[in-house]
Amino acid sequence: MKTLLRIRAALLAVAVLFTVPALTHQQARAEVFAFGDVTPDEDPDLPVFGGEASGPIIVGDESAGLLTVDVPATTDPLLAESITLGNTQTGVGQITVIGFTSEVRAAGGDLIVGESGQGFLDIAGGGIAGNEDESDGMGGTNPGTAGKTVLGNGFGSYGEVTVDGIFSRLETGDLQVGFFGQGLLTVSNRGTVVTNASTGAQENESGIGVQNGGDGRVRVTGEGSKWIVTSGDGGFDLDIGTPRGNGDDNNGHGRLEIYDRGVVQVGEINTDTPPDGFQQGEVLVNELGFVDLQTQGQLITEDLTNNGVIRGDGVVLARDNFVNNGEIRNAAGVANQREYLLLGDANTTLENNNLIESIGGEMEFLSAVDNTVDGDIIGRDAILRFQNGITSMGEIGLAGDTTIYGALELMGGDLFFFEDSTVVFRGSITADATSTISTVIGGDEANIDVVGGVTLTDPLGVLSVSAGTNPQPGDMYDVIVATDPIVGTFSNPSFTAGGVNWVFDYSDPNRVTAVAAAAVNPMGPDANGDGFVDGSDIDQWEANFPIASGATAEQGDADGDGDVDIFDLLVMQGAFGMPFPIVAAVAAVPEPAAAVLVLLGLGFTSGRRGRRG
């Protein structure tokens, strides 16, 4: 039957070629073949040589159906009120559009690939599919904007679209991949998808994993392959995944994969002022959204808000606003090659409110980076390049063989160096009095090497001692070594770590050294023996409370009666903030009833340094 239909169509094509001396470009499009469960299925309701079908086209209503729009011959594009593939749960429908300028469109309605069943749309060899063009009100048209395309519309449905090869195109209004069902869109070998939501009729954004239970995946792969999302009238132009929650529109999973120099462009380029004229593009990666970049895939937009995950090897250009409330991360790739992630734009600031992490990878920030009080930046065996500097009120943790390029300004932030680390700054460090710099000394010491300058405006310096290190009075360890003279000092003149008291030495203008001054001698309320009564002494009391007998001052026995109880805490409270030895009167212990009243009135806390903000 299939062979007979093809012979019949070929004979008709030859007849038309001999009877029509000249054909317009609009006439020379494609032949149409229907097999199985296709409605309508016969000429003229389903025009064999293209044209407008009578009513909607349904391929795979209750069983299997196949529709082919074949190589160009003598026909017009195939148009229908709407097009549905896999209409019911048992329906399986496939449309194949193949050949340069072969074309099928939903004329005014929607293109649904997988309504309740399974739908497949294959566009190859320069074929075109999508929605009908709509006037832009200025004498031109917006391709495909008169309707939307949905992959995986209903619960339990599956919709798959492939756009493969140069000139192959999907042109539509809004594109929703995985609405309530599962959807997969693959753009490869220089294929193109154009999502044009620029008219008032198309205010809903395109999305991947749109509704509760929806699961969408878009893969744009290969140099020259592209998905262009133009701007709508409101909201984000592209949503990836949904928030995590209990609402009807929550818990939809979306994944955008951009591989091998493929490009996803969300927004428009103002041709009057390229390349800085990029405008109106807005991308939202929700909590259940994931953007995966490999081999220099590119995501380009004007505004980007990430509440989910962006990872891998590629380029994320947000030309105006870039806010990270989720995770941005990369790592060492295959064959121990670093993944490289280029982020932001020189004209904007990347606001980090959650996590940026590179484990063995390389990140380069075109934007200035604002690491807020809720932000964390982690680098282990990484290269981090801050072309326009970084200010931090949050936490930065560095480990292993890590190199930082650019100027770092700590404005209430914490900078941590982990054990067995070699961290090099090629830039400068500035730390104010509300900041903390913490590092590990001893063993394979974690020096902070700075090719540039360091300015310390009384930040808190915190040292811990490497496991297996037994420091003795007089031992010295480098903390910071810089090529330029170091300006300023840390705020604390002495403190305890590893069983000894430490002081900082600034005698070398290019070096800060930690010197072990004396062994710890716990006494009275000074449980750690550092010569000062503070929160760390109370921490030791808390760790050992209660002990009935045989307790030492190091365990928190501040009043010397051999136990660790509430009265020892009161002694520490009375001496809190004072050097030791303290005035003897402070050690006077109140009667039990008075002690309870004092505790109730003070509302005492341990004084641990907590996270600011």
Side-chain angles (χ1 to χ4, degrees):
M1 181 62 181
K2 176 179 179 180
T3 303
L4 291 174
L5 285 172
R6 286 186 174 273
I7 292 172
R8 174 174 175 268
L11 291 173
L12 287 171
V14 171
V16 172
L17 282 171
F18 281 97
T19 57
V20 181
L23 298 173
T24 66
H25 171 73
Q26 190 69 10
Q27 289 173 315
R29 293 301 178 92
E31 296 174 333
V32 179
F33 304 92
F35 304 94
D37 186 2
V38 179
T39 305
D41 62 348
E42 293 183 355
D43 192 22
D45 294 328
L46 181 67
V48 173
F49 296 107
E52 189 168 348
S54 60
I57 291 177
I58 300 175
V59 182
D61 183 21
E62 295 182 346
S63 58
L66 173 65
L67 181 67
T68 300
V69 182
D70 210 335
V71 292
T74 60
T75 60
D76 290 332
L78 177 61
L79 304 177
E81 291 178 7
S82 62
I83 302 174
T84 303
L85 290 74
N87 191 40
T88 66
Q89 292 182 357
T90 57
V92 180
Q94 177 172 332
I95 294 180
T96 300
V97 187
I98 187 167
F100 183 62
T101 72
S102 297
E103 190 168 349
V104 59
R105 292 185 184 270
D110 296 332
L111 171 58
I112 308 297
V113 184
E115 172 59 56
S116 295
Q118 295 174 292
F120 303 88
L121 172 60
D122 296 325
I123 308 168
I128 301 172
N131 301 100
E132 190 176 30
D133 297 350
E134 186 173 60
S135 171
D136 63 5
M138 296 180 290
T141 60
N142 291 315
T145 58
K148 65 177 180 288
T149 298
V150 182
L151 284 62
N153 193 43
F155 287 112
S157 65
Y158 178 76
E160 181 176 324
V161 175
T162 60
V163 183
D164 184 73
I166 190 170
F167 305 123
S168 300
R169 294 171 69 87
L170 173 66
E171 296 178 343
T172 181
D174 291 321
L175 175 61
Q176 298 169 347
V177 182
F179 195 72
F180 284 108
Q182 291 182 312
L184 171 63
L185 169 64
T186 303
V187 187
S188 57
N189 296 317
R190 301 182 182 180
T192 302
V193 174
V194 178
T195 303
N196 193 330
S198 62
T199 68
Q202 296 294 330
E203 294 185 3
N204 294 322
E205 71 278 352
S206 294
I208 308 171
V210 179
Q211 295 288 340
N212 192 10
D215 188 350
R217 181 159 62 103
V218 173
R219 173 176 289 186
V220 181
T221 180
E223 192 164 17
S225 301
K226 195 168 188 178
W227 180 15
I228 303 170
V229 184
T230 62
S231 297
D233 290 337
F236 287 90
D237 302 306
L238 176 60
D239 275 16
I240 304 172
T242 71
R244 180 182 284 107
N246 299 319
D248 291 339
D249 58 349
N250 291 337
N251 298 321
H253 290 78
R255 184 182 180 97
L256 175 60
E257 301 170 348
I258 314 174
Y259 295 165
D260 300 325
R261 303 182 71 85
V263 175
V264 175
Q265 174 187 311
V266 182
E268 300 173 354
I269 297 178
N270 184 343
T271 56
D272 294 334
T273 59
D276 295 330
F278 201 87
Q279 58 186 5
Q280 297 181 336
E282 295 184 87
V283 176
L284 174 61
V285 185
N286 278 299
E287 291 174 288
L288 298 180
F290 193 98
V291 177
D292 186 25
L293 303 167
Q294 292 185 17
T295 320
Q296 291 303 291
Q298 295 187 29
L299 173 60
I300 306 171
T301 187
E302 183 182 34
D303 299 330
L304 191 152
T305 300
N306 176 43
N307 299 325
V309 175
I310 298 173
R311 72 153 307 277
D313 179 83
V315 177
V316 180
L317 296 183
R319 306 300 299 272
D320 193 12
N321 294 295
F322 196 159
V323 179
N324 178 48
N325 301 318
E327 298 179 17
I328 299 174
R329 60 177 188 247
N330 71 355
V334 296
N336 204 32
Q337 296 294 312
R338 293 183 186 273
E339 291 183 335
Y340 171 80
L341 199 55
L342 182 66
L343 299 156
D345 183 87
N347 298 317
T348 188
T349 297
L350 192 163
E351 178 184 313
N352 180 43
N353 299 312
N354 197 351
L355 177 64
I356 296 174
E357 178 185 77
S358 182
I359 307 298
E362 181 172 355
M363 290 188 182
E364 184 163 359
F365 301 86
L366 298 176
S367 304
V369 176
D370 177 14
N371 190 44
T372 70
V373 67
D374 296 316
D376 294 303
I377 297 177
I378 303 296
R380 177 181 291 276
D381 299 321
I383 297 174
L384 302 177
R385 302 176 185 270
F386 300 95
Q387 286 197 7
N388 284 284
I390 172 174
T391 59
S392 181
M393 296 179 65
E395 297 184 354
I396 300 175
L398 304 174
D401 185 5
T402 295
T403 303
I404 311 296
Y405 292 82
L408 167 62
E409 185 176 2
L410 296 177
M411 302 176 62
D414 298 330
L415 179 60
F416 294 93
F417 298 87
F418 295 98
E419 188 169 356
D420 297 332
S421 300
T422 303
V423 179
V424 176
F425 280 84
R426 294 188 173 272
S428 62
I429 301 176
T430 302
D432 70 9
T434 62
S435 303
T436 299
I437 298 178
S438 303
T439 190
V440 182
I441 58 175
D444 294 330
E445 55 194 80
N447 291 339
I448 307 169
D449 291 321
V450 182
V451 182
V454 176
T455 301
L456 304 173
T457 311
D458 296 329
L460 181 65
V462 177
L463 301 181
S464 58
V465 175
S466 175
T469 299
N470 184 25
Q472 301 297 315
D475 288 350
M476 303 175 66
Y477 298 90
D478 287 336
V479 177
I480 301 176
V481 178
T483 59
D484 295 344
I486 297 171
V487 178
T489 62
F490 288 106
S491 63
N492 47 337
S494 65
F495 53 95
T496 298
V500 297
N501 295 312
W502 298 86
V503 295
F504 286 118
D505 183 283
Y506 305 94
S507 58
D508 186 333
N510 297 92
R511 193 180 302 268
V512 177
T513 303
V515 180
V520 170
N521 184 23
M523 185 180 300
D526 182 16
N528 59 15
D530 63 355
F532 204 80
V533 180
D534 56 16
S536 61
D537 301 300
I538 293 175
D539 287 344
Q540 290 188 215
W541 173 88
E542 183 179 9
N544 293 288
F545 176 83
I547 296 177
S549 62
T552 64
E554 185 176 7
Q555 292 173 310
D557 179 18
D559 58 10
D561 64 355
D563 59 20
V564 178
D565 58 16
I566 198 67
F567 303 109
D568 300 301
L569 176 60
L570 291 173
V571 172
M572 289 182 177
Q573 161 113 34
F576 195 83
M578 300 174 62
F580 190 81
I582 58 176
V583 179
V586 172
V589 180
E591 294 299 321
V596 174
L597 292 174
V598 170
L599 281 176
L600 291 175
L602 290 172
F604 183 78
T605 60
S606 69
R608 285 178 173 154
R609 179 180 173 89
R611 184 166 189 154
R612 288 180 293 274

